[in-house]
């Protein structure tokens, strides 16, 4: 007589997954996921209830808010977000419901820092404009004074939020001979500072930074941290990079500063209402735009998906989660 197969745990994945992650989800779980579309809020609740699912896999575009948490069927024990940021999660409501929520720290640090630094370089050296010019076959005679960007090496970079990604950006900046300042709630132990100097006062950091790169979480206290007033503290011709969360910047004020030429340029991977974004950015030649692709490499997205599956497996095996949002 053959051994009876153990029933597999039931999982609903609301986002399309990279092929390797989807294959593993299907092999290890009784999984609901689609290769050609995402699953919306109502449909996901119906699927979770209809299947008696124990786990949900989601990501930063999907709000795990109080209303959604209240509507979850009792069967759901763990929700794994495929992101390090968790501003889309109502932590208080999840805790109160006894839901375990996990994220994916560490695995996306390097690629997100690479993208932030790419945006810094692209904005400083006017790569989007150069690329457009080539495609339009508009490379004509030019004087030595045309098409000049901003030198990167030797300049001062101010990093706001010196967590894993901020520190990885500081390491990259060191390779470009930049001076690095950082602002965070407290100074890091010197071994973690990556040669950067802590500046307790945000205004002072802004006054001293020719480049500023945001790497802090979006919280009520950090929303619109760069606004009309704080942007005005940057030296003329400064460059702003945001690969963290769109809500950290008051976009109307940023657009104004870019239009007026008070800022030389910006590199943006995130937007306040994404995937919609302020169309006025399109008309600004001095902005490098990207559609939230900081973690978007094959290797990193696979690692993030696998980390979600590992977290779910741990919780459903009654072990502690690997990356709980709280403990
Ligand atoms: C993250 O992991 O938080 C990235 O921004 C992707 O959402």
């Amino acid at each position: 007589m053959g051994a009876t197969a153990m029933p597999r745990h039931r999982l609903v994945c609301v986002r399309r997954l990279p092929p390797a992650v989807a294959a593993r989800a299907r092999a290890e779980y009784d999984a609901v996921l689609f290769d050609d579309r995402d699953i919306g809020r109502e449909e996901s609740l119906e699927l979770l209830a209809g299947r008696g699912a124990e786990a949900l896999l989601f990501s930063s575009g999907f709000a795990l808010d109080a209303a959604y948490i209240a509507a979850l069927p009792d069967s759901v024990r763990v929700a794994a977000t495929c992101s390090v940021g968790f501003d889309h999660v109502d932590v208080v409501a999840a805790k109160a419901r006894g839901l375990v929520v996990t994220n994916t720290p560490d695995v996306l640090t390097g690629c997100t820092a690479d993208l932030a630094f790419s945006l810094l370089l692209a904005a400083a050296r006017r790569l989007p404009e150069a690329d457009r010019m080539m495609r339009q076959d508009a490379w004509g005679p030019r004087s030595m004074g045309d098409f000049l960007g901003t030198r990167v090496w030797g300049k001062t970079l101010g990093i706001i939020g010196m967590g894993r990604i901020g520190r990885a950006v500081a390491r990259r900046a060191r390779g470009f001979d930049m001076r690095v300042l950082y602002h965070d709630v407290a100074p890091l132990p010197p071994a973690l500072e990556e040669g950067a100097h802590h500046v307790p006062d945000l205004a002072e950091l802004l006054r001293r930074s020719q480049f500023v790169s945001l790497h802090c979480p979006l919280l009520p206290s950090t929303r619109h941290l760069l606004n009309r007033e704080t942007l005005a503290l940057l030296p003329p011709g400064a460059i702003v990079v945001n690969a963290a969360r769109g809500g950290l910047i008051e976009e109307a004020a940023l657009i104004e500063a870019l239009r007026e030429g008070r800022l030389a340029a910006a590199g943006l991977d995130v937007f306040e209402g994404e995937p919609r974004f302020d169309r006025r950015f399109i008309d600004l030649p001095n902005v490098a735009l990207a559609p939230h692709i900081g973690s978007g490499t094959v290797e990193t997205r696979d690692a993030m998906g696998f980390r979600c599956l590992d977290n779910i497996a741990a919780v459903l095996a009654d072990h502690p989660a690997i990356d709980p949002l709280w403990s």
Side-chain angles (χ1 to χ4, degrees), residues 25-59:
R26 289 187 169 112
E28 295 177 5
Y29 293 89
D30 177 359
V32 181
L33 70 151
F34 298 106
D35 296 323
D36 57 351
R37 69 178 178 90
D38 295 336
I39 298 174
R41 285 167 72 88
E42 290 310 315
E43 186 183 6
S44 66
L45 288 170
E46 280 163 25
L47 286 165
L48 288 162
R51 300 281 183 127
E54 295 115 314
L56 170 74
L57 193 155
F58 67 115
S59 71

Side-chain angles (χ1 to χ4, degrees), residues 105-294:
D106 302 317
V107 293
L108 48 72
T109 301
C111 280
T112 306
D114 286 349
L115 194 274
F117 214 81
S118 308
L119 287 172
L120 184 155
L121 293 170
R125 301 306 304 274
R126 302 175 59 179
L127 286 182
E129 283 173 87
D131 181 84
R132 258 193 309 278
M133 191 187 83
M134 297 298 281
R135 288 170 203 279
Q136 289 162 0
D137 204 10
W139 187 4
R142 261 205 327 266
S143 83
M144 289 283 288
D146 287 342
F147 220 95
L148 303 183
T150 300
R151 197 188 77 211
V152 171
W153 70 266
K155 296 283 179 68
T156 299
L157 168 66
I159 294 180
I160 301 179
M162 194 69 161
R164 298 177 193 85
I165 298 172
R167 297 200 298 274
V169 170
R171 276 197 294 283
R172 282 150 182 75
R174 262 191 1 223
F176 279 76
D177 295 330
M178 298 183 91
R179 260 183 311 276
V180 186
L181 310 175
Y182 73 95
H183 173 78
D184 211 323
V185 280
L188 292 172
L192 292 181
E193 281 187 317
E194 303 292 350
H197 297 286
H198 181 242
V199 181
D201 180 30
L202 176 65
E204 186 193 334
L205 174 121
L206 294 173
R207 280 191 205 99
R208 291 170 60 188
S209 299
Q210 288 141 324
F211 291 82
V212 65
S213 193
L214 299 175
H215 299 288
C216 52
L218 178 62
L219 303 166
S221 58
T222 59
R223 180 173 293 283
H224 291 185
L225 178 128
L226 288 189
N227 51 43
R228 193 158 276 109
E229 200 177 300
T230 50
L231 284 169
L233 299 172
L234 286 163
I239 291 179
V240 169
V241 173
N242 189 8
R245 286 293 181 266
L248 295 171
I249 301 185
E250 185 190 350
E251 290 178 348
L254 177 66
I255 289 168
E256 197 176 292
L258 288 164
R259 268 192 183 153
E260 292 173 1
R262 280 186 279 120
L263 293 178
L268 305 174
D269 185 44
V270 287
F271 301 87
E272 194 154 16
E274 61 184 52
R276 284 185 297 277
F277 67 100
D278 194 318
R279 312 303 284 178
R280 288 176 294 175
F281 282 121
I282 293 177
D283 299 324
L284 288 171
N286 48 348
V287 190
L289 297 168
H292 202 149
I293 54 169

Side-chain angles (χ1 to χ4, degrees), residues 59-61 82-88 104 108 112 243-245 269-270 274 292 294-295 301 304:
S59 71
S60 57
C82 224
S83 63
V84 65
F86 53 90
D87 45 290
H88 55 298
T104 61
L108 48 72
T112 306
R245 286 293 181 266
D269 185 44
V270 287
E274 61 184 52
H292 202 149
S295 61
R301 286 283 162 82
M304 291 167 76

